[in-house]
């Protein structure tokens, strides 16, 4: 019957990936950071061991890459390993073609532009869980994505991903003496409105990049300060998601403070969880992890600028965006977007869409 266990699958996938050389091998070393098997496992888990589609997918990849694989000699499980191997190679080629290995030496300049990106793409790191996982906060409802081109937002997102993987997770793994390869994300839905429809294309681009090239990097998603519009959309979108994904999503009551304190100290709580029922704010600069002045963003920007300067080049070109190829979303992603758009249009004339869910736990 072929490959039946995850360990055996990782063994087979490792044999295949060990054959890559040159730039692909170098960039894969950036990806796994010394934890080869743990990172191969991520790609296996991200595909849900979907053996039923394996043969069809292998035919597609053969037509695209003219690979030597002979389908008729391939068991179902072996086909799945080959599919994941191809997908991993696609990820590595994307990294090489888009020069991802050097993205942490390409600052967004001038600094005013970087501040604009931070003010309109609300994301930050507030601390660590007691298990050592970085806590990333995302202001879903109040992000506007209206102060820069899409390329800068994608560049910033990838830089945060790479800094998380190469610096934060690598450091925490060494500190704890064990592989730490994931983070947790706290999603603040404060201010979520129908106007969010205008951001769906960019959000879809970013989520597709993550799905294809940074799979299984988030351990748990915590949703807080959820208004009715989120609850309505979640109800229709949830059935479309993989069970693997829905199990990670926890919709918490109010600001989620009490639940989050079970896994992290108060000092690691995102600022919008520290207050009773209020959400994200641009006015609490001392603790606002979205702010460009927060230590996380200062350290990240300094890290990128330092690595640029060590290359011995002059001042980075102003307004010179780092362009990355945008992947097309899969059929599942397109369906989810259409479902969200349809549901939000259905709610367009309803009252109280911005009101937070009352003090009860929303059905996850």
């Amino acid at each position: 019957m072929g490959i039946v266990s995850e360990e055996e699958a990782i063994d087979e996938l490792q044999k295949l990936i060990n054959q890559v050389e040159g730039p692909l091998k170098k960039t894969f070393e950036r990806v796994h950071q010394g934890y080869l098997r743990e990172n191969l496992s991520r790609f296996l888990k991200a595909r849900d061991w979907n053996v039923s589609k394996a043969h069809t997918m292998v035919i597609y990849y053969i037509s695209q890459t003219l690979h030597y694989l002979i389908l008729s000699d391939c068991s179902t499980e072996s086909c799945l390993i080959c599919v994941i191997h191809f997908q991993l190679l696609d990820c590595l080629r994307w990294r090489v073609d888009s020069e991802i290995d050097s993205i942490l030496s390409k600052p967004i300049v001038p600094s005013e532009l970087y501040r604009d990106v931070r003010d309109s793409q609300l994301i930050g790191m507030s601390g660590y869980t007691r298990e050592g996982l970085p806590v990333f906060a995302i202001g879903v409802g109040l992000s506007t994505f209206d102060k820069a081109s899409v390329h800068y937002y994608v560049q910033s997102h990838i830089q945060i991903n790479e800094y998380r993987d190469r610096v934060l997770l690598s450091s925490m793994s060494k500190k704890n003496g064990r592989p730490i390869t994931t983070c947790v994300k706290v999603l603040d839905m404060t201010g979520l409105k129908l106007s969010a429809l205008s951001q769906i294309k960019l959000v879809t681009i970013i989520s597709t990049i993550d799905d294809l090239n940074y799979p299984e990097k988030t351990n748990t998603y915590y949703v807080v300060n959820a208004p009715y519009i989120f609850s309505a959309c979640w109800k229709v979108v949830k059935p479309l998601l993989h069970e693997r994904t829905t199990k990670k999503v926890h919709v918490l009551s109010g600001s989620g403070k009490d639940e989050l304190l079970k896994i992290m100290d108060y000092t690691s709580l995102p600022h919008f969880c520290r207050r009773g029922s209020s959400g994200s704010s641009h006015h609490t600069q001392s603790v606002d992890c979205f702010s460009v002045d927060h230590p996380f963003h200062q350290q990240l920007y300094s890290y990128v600028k330092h690595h640029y300067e060590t290359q011995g080049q002059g001042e980075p070109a102003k307004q010179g965006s780092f362009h990355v190829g945008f992947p097309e979303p899969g059929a599942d992603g397109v369906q989810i977007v259409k479902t969200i758009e349809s549901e939000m249009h259905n709610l367009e004339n309803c009252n109280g869409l911005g009101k937070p869910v009352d003090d009860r736990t929303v059905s996850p």
Side-chain angles (χ1 to χ4, degrees), residues 85-341:
H85 177 228
F86 286 133
Q87 291 173 335
L88 180 52
L89 288 180
D90 280 348
C91 167
L92 300 182
R93 292 189 187 104
W94 171 81
R95 292 182 63 87
V96 171
D97 293 342
S98 301
E99 300 180 350
I100 300 301
D101 284 353
S102 64
I103 198 170
L104 288 180
S105 61
K106 298 182 181 295
I108 295 176
V109 292
S111 58
E112 291 78 8
L113 176 59
Y114 184 67
R115 183 175 291 274
D116 286 341
V117 171
R118 292 279 60 83
D119 286 344
S120 53
Q121 183 184 34
L122 302 183
I123 183 172
M125 198 197 84
S126 60
Y128 295 88
T129 69
R130 296 190 185 95
E131 294 183 348
L133 278 61
V135 178
F136 280 89
I138 302 175
V140 177
L142 294 179
S143 290
T144 57
F145 300 102
D146 60 351
K147 294 187 177 182
S149 75
V150 59
H151 296 286
Y152 287 111
Y153 291 118
V154 171
Q155 176 182 353
S156 173
H157 179 80
I158 295 175
Q159 284 181 330
I160 291 175
N161 279 357
E162 292 292 310
Y163 187 76
R164 174 198 65 198
D165 295 350
R166 295 195 223 169
V167 180
L168 299 179
L169 292 177
S170 178
S171 175
M172 291 305 293
S173 295
K174 293 176 182 177
K175 179 179 178 181
N176 289 271
R178 58 183 174 83
I180 295 180
T181 59
T182 61
C183 66
V184 300
K185 292 181 179 178
V186 184
L187 312 182
D188 180 23
M189 295 294 168
T190 299
L192 186 64
K193 300 176 182 178
L194 290 171
S195 57
L197 280 174
S198 63
Q199 305 163 13
I200 285 184
K201 181 177 180 180
L202 174 56
V203 173
T204 302
I205 289 172
I206 289 175
S207 63
T208 303
I209 287 174
D210 282 354
D211 181 56
L212 296 177
N213 304 293
Y214 302 93
E216 294 295 309
K217 297 301 295 189
T218 303
N219 181 278
T220 311
Y221 298 88
Y222 295 101
V223 178
V224 302
N225 298 319
Y228 174 74
I229 190 172
F230 167 80
S231 303
C233 287
W234 177 241
K235 183 177 180 180
V236 297
V237 168
K238 183 179 178 181
L240 304 178
L241 300 176
H242 295 295
E243 183 180 2
R244 167 181 51 83
T245 300
T246 59
K247 285 182 177 180
K248 292 183 177 183
V249 179
H250 298 268
V251 184
L252 306 183
S253 175
S255 68
K257 176 180 176 181
D258 293 339
E259 288 298 314
L260 292 174
L261 284 176
K262 295 177 181 178
I263 64 167
M264 68 184 73
D265 296 333
Y266 182 84
T267 54
S268 290
L269 281 177
H271 60 280
F272 50 80
C273 296
R274 298 188 181 191
R275 298 182 296 276
S277 59
S278 60
S280 303
S281 170
H282 293 284
H283 306 294
T284 55
Q285 298 296 328
S286 61
V287 295
D288 187 344
C289 58
F290 297 149
S291 170
V292 69
D293 298 315
H294 187 274
F296 168 73
H297 287 300
Q298 288 293 301
Q299 291 165 9
L300 170 57
Y301 196 77
S302 295
Y303 183 94
V304 175
K305 186 177 180 181
H306 169 74
H307 279 264
Y308 175 84
E309 292 172 346
T310 56
Q311 295 179 350
Q313 303 180 42
E315 285 296 314
K318 293 183 178 181
Q319 305 296 328
S321 176
F322 182 88
H323 286 208
V324 171
F326 298 155
E328 289 294 325
D332 290 345
V334 172
Q335 183 181 5
I336 290 171
V337 169
K338 290 182 177 179
T339 300
I340 292 175
E341 290 177 335

